[in-house]
């Protein structure tokens, strides 16, 4: 087994990155993953907030939007962005994320 040389591995990686940037994709490894949609309706937003026992204000803080935005989602006047939909889905599946996102 050969000894790992951090400097040489880093140098080789940088050389590969430069070659890739210059159009040489022969050394590239590409991973493509399909990301599922998480369609969230107004009813879903209300359900998630209720299950988490959060006020609109607190859910807004957790998701990083204004309370008016949460109210608009719940009223069906606006739809959560794809990012917000994913976050709401994660919050629904793991309630402990609320405390982690609030820094508690």
């Amino acid at each position: 087994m050969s000894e790992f040389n951090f400097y040489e591995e880093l140098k080789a990686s940088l050389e590969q990155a430069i070659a890739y940037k210059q159009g040489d994709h022969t050394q590239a490894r590409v991973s493509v993953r399909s990301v599922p949609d998480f369609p969230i309706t107004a009813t879903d937003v209300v359900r998630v907030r209720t299950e988490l026992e959060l006020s609109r204000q607190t859910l807004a803080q957790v998701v990083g939007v204004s309370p008016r935005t949460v109210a608009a989602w719940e009223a069906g006047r606006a739809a959560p962005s794809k990012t917000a939909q994913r976050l709401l889905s994660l919050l629904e599946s793991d309630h402990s994320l609320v405390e982690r996102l609030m820094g508690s």
Side-chain angles (χ1 to χ4, degrees), residues 2-104:
S2 64
E3 187 174 314
F4 180 79
N5 184 321
F6 180 76
Y7 173 78
E8 290 300 322
E9 291 295 323
L10 182 59
K11 180 181 171 195
S13 294
L14 290 172
E15 287 169 353
Q16 290 170 3
I18 291 167
Y20 183 87
K21 182 71 175 174
Q22 293 173 343
D24 177 7
H25 298 183
T26 60
Q27 302 266 335
R29 287 182 291 168
V30 178
S31 298
V32 178
R33 299 178 72 186
S34 175
V35 178
D37 283 337
F38 297 93
I40 301 284
T41 65
T43 306
D44 296 328
V45 176
V46 173
R47 186 188 72 252
V48 170
R49 185 174 61 78
T50 303
E51 285 177 4
L52 294 171
E53 300 179 352
L54 299 176
S55 66
R56 284 181 179 158
Q57 174 82 27
T58 305
L59 180 60
Q61 289 176 333
V62 169
V63 178
V65 298
S66 74
R68 292 180 74 184
T69 298
V70 173
W73 293 346
E74 290 182 351
R77 293 189 312 270
S81 67
K82 296 286 186 187
T83 303
Q85 289 179 24
R86 288 185 180 119
L87 182 53
L88 288 166
S89 180
L90 287 170
L91 291 169
E92 183 178 29
S93 66
D94 185 354
H95 293 193
S96 72
L97 290 174
V98 173
E99 288 82 24
R100 292 171 58 194
L101 290 168
M102 293 295 290
S104 303

